[in-house]
């Protein structure tokens, strides 16, 4: 059995008997017919241990909520294929541009990427716990009629939320990729992007391409331009779209580094008309940090801005290097999630990469076997 960590008491942990108790008020208030745990990840290469930990905790929490409340539960994986693939600077103007994975790789390559790097672990976790799951790319999400209609209906009220979405500039980052074949470049910070509503269901967007100059695009509920929204803006629209989902309680499962960012999203949601009772239900999972207390970042280590923490292994930055099968990796992850969920003190905290590595390589023993 994985040795339990020594976790200090906190105000939140002291108020709970079990980690899932933090969701009880919203479950009782909404009386849903089912619960969907939503976990998103940028599709920008192989996942690291922090990503896998949050994903496995989403499945483990779904199993606990199903047992606790008797509702059907499901995990929805949002594959954020609008992550930047290439970055460039226009030397003439100084404006920054980017091209997303979705436009650089194409649909089939992205499908293959998700199927190769993420689906095997989801399948293993789903089978072990009996929790169904589905995968939705951001490309699919932004193309959905309800998401696009939510964005269109938000536009007249966006001025009330824009400083929450972009406190430094007041310009929420809307990126409409250049529509010319083989391009897809878009201004990263949207300084020269302008939206004009023709009517309640049609918007004209003017933007500037790195290679082709000014262009215009149309957005409608059922078609038109690709809506690439920056992180806070995307969460605002997604959570507005889910706010009126009848019969379903959506729980946003996020890493602990999101605690600070959701303050801005919640203020933006209230600025456009949601009440406190309508704000999203969220669950913040333990964060994996370095010995300095910073979030474990594969990009910083890859770029030479940080080093692999002492006691951490290479597989923690690229889970394909795990010295075993995907099934064994899933078993070890579920052993760790059992430990983290065994007491609120163990869940609502951060862990060093070395400590997570120690727990992951200890002999696996599930305290509550899956069905």
């Amino acid at each position: 059995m994985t040795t339990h960590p020594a976790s200090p008491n906190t105000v939140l942990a002291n108020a709970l008997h079990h980690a899932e108790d933090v969701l009880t008020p919203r479950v009782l208030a909404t009386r849903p017919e089912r619960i969907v745990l939503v976990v998103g990840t940028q599709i920008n290469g192989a996942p690291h241990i922090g990503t896998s930990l949050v994903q496995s905790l989403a499945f483990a929490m779904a199993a606990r909520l199903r047992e606790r409340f008797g509702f059907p539960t499901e995990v929805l994986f949002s594959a954020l294929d609008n992550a930047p693939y290439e970055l460039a600077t226009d030397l003439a103007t100084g404006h920054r541009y980017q091209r997303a994975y979705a436009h650089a790789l194409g649909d089939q390559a992205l499908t293959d990427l998700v199927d190769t790097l993420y689906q095997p672990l989801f399948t293993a976790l789903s089978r072990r716990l009996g929790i169904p799951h589905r995968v939705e790319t951001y490309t699919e999400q932004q193309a959905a009629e309800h998401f696009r209609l939510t964005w269109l209906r938000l536009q007249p009220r966006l001025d009330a939320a824009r400083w929450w979405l972009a406190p430094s500039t007041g310009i929420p980052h809307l990126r409409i990729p250049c529509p010319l074949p083989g391009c897809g470049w878009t201004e990263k910070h949207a300084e020269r992007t302008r939206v004009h509503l023709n009517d309640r269901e049609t918007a004209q967007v003017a933007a500037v391409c790195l290679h082709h100059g000014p262009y215009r695009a149309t957005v409608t509920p059922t078609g038109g331009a690709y809506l690439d929204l920056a992180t806070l803006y995307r969460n605002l629209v997604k959570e507005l779209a889910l706010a009126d989902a009848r019969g379903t309680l959506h729980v946003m499962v996020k890493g602990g580094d999101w605690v600070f960012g959701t303050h801005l999203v919640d203020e933006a949601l209230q600025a456009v008309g949601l009440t406190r009772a309508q704000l999203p239900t969220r669950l913040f999972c333990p964060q994996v940090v370095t010995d300095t207390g910073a979030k474990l970042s594969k990009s910083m280590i890859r770029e030479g801005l940080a080093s692999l923490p002492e006691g951490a292994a290479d597989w923690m930055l690229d889970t394909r290097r795990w010295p075993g099968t995907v099934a064994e990796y899933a078993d070890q992850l579920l052993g760790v999630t059992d430990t983290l969920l065994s007491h609120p003190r163990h869940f609502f905290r951060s862990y060093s990469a070395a400590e997570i590595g120690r727990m992951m390589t200890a002999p696996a023993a599930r305290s509550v076997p899956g069905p």
Side-chain angles (χ1 to χ4, degrees):
M1 176 68 72
T2 302
T3 303
H4 279 54
S7 300
N9 200 8
T10 63
V11 172
L12 179 57
N14 197 47
L16 308 174
H17 292 162
H18 308 282
E20 63 269 24
D21 292 345
V22 75
L23 303 175
T24 299
R26 189 59 64 90
V27 172
L28 296 179
T30 57
R31 298 290 180 182
E33 298 171 5
R34 68 185 188 123
I35 300 175
V36 176
L37 290 94
V38 184
V39 57
T41 300
Q42 281 197 338
I43 304 302
N44 57 357
H48 64 71
I49 183 61
T51 300
S52 294
L53 184 62
V54 172
Q55 291 165 350
S56 62
L57 281 165
F59 278 92
M61 183 59 74
R64 293 171 75 96
L65 291 173
R66 180 185 58 190
E67 181 179 355
R68 171 77 172 271
F69 296 105
F71 302 124
T73 58
E74 176 186 348
V75 172
L76 169 60
F77 174 61
S78 294
L80 303 176
D81 56 355
N82 64 329
Y85 181 82
E86 299 174 275
L87 296 171
T89 301
D90 183 349
L91 298 180
T93 65
H95 289 284
R96 295 280 285 166
Y97 287 83
Q98 72 178 52
R99 190 157 70 134
Y101 270 75
H103 303 101
L105 300 185
D107 292 343
Q108 188 57 53
L110 282 168
T111 298
D112 293 342
L113 186 68
V114 173
D115 287 347
T116 300
L117 298 180
Y118 295 92
Q119 191 62 257
L121 177 61
F122 295 154
T123 300
L125 293 170
S126 183
R127 287 174 177 171
R128 278 159 174 71
L129 296 176
I131 298 296
H133 77 281
R134 57 190 175 94
V135 177
E136 178 184 62
T137 64
Y138 177 75
T139 294
E140 293 169 333
Q141 185 183 63
Q142 65 82 35
E145 182 176 357
H146 186 52
F147 185 93
R148 297 171 78 82
L149 193 57
T150 300
W151 179 81
L152 285 163
R153 291 178 176 173
L154 170 66
Q155 295 311 299
R157 297 175 286 166
L158 188 60
D159 193 57
R162 65 189 183 96
W163 286 103
W164 292 113
L165 299 176
S168 298
T169 64
I171 303 173
H173 297 171
L174 163 67
R175 307 181 185 113
I176 301 293
C178 177
L180 291 180
C183 188
W185 284 91
T186 180
E187 200 171 40
K188 182 173 179 59
H189 301 298
E191 297 99 329
R192 294 174 293 178
T193 299
R194 300 290 182 268
V195 178
H196 173 73
L197 284 178
N198 292 347
D199 53 53
R200 282 175 55 84
E201 296 192 359
T202 308
Q204 293 288 330
V205 182
V208 181
C209 175
L210 172 65
H211 299 296
H212 303 108
Y215 61 93
R216 291 182 178 274
T218 302
V219 178
T220 70
T222 56
Y226 188 104
L227 281 175
D228 183 0
L229 307 177
T231 304
L232 298 180
Y233 198 176
R234 179 184 69 244
N235 275 264
L236 173 70
V237 177
K238 176 184 73 175
E239 292 169 357
L240 276 174
L242 295 177
D244 59 356
R246 294 185 178 180
T248 301
L249 174 63
H250 291 89
V251 179
M252 307 301 158
V253 182
K254 297 180 177 294
D257 56 312
W258 255 99
V259 169
F260 307 108
T262 52
H263 166 71
L264 294 174
V265 178
D266 284 349
E267 292 289 353
L269 287 166
Q270 291 180 92
V272 300
L274 262 62
T275 66
R276 289 288 301 177
Q278 294 174 305
L279 292 181
T281 305
R282 297 196 179 98
L283 182 72
F284 298 104
C285 296
Q287 186 177 358
V288 182
V289 300
T290 68
D291 50 2
T292 70
K295 174 185 173 182
L296 181 68
S297 169
K298 63 181 179 182
S299 60
M300 289 185 66
I301 294 174
R302 185 172 57 239
E303 295 166 10
L305 301 176
S307 58
L308 188 67
E310 184 177 350
D314 289 343
W315 63 263
M316 301 184 77
L317 297 182
D318 183 343
T319 57
R320 292 174 298 183
R321 299 183 180 181
W322 169 260
T325 66
V326 173
E328 292 167 344
Y329 184 56
D331 283 340
Q332 295 298 126
L333 280 169
L334 290 177
V336 172
T337 61
D338 274 352
T339 298
L340 301 187
L341 289 168
S342 65
H343 195 285
R345 292 186 184 188
H346 302 326
F347 189 82
F348 296 105
R349 53 160 290 187
S350 297
Y351 287 86
S352 70
E355 178 69 356
I356 290 294
R358 180 192 68 78
M359 297 167 71
M360 279 290 294
T361 54
R366 299 292 317 286
S367 60
V368 181

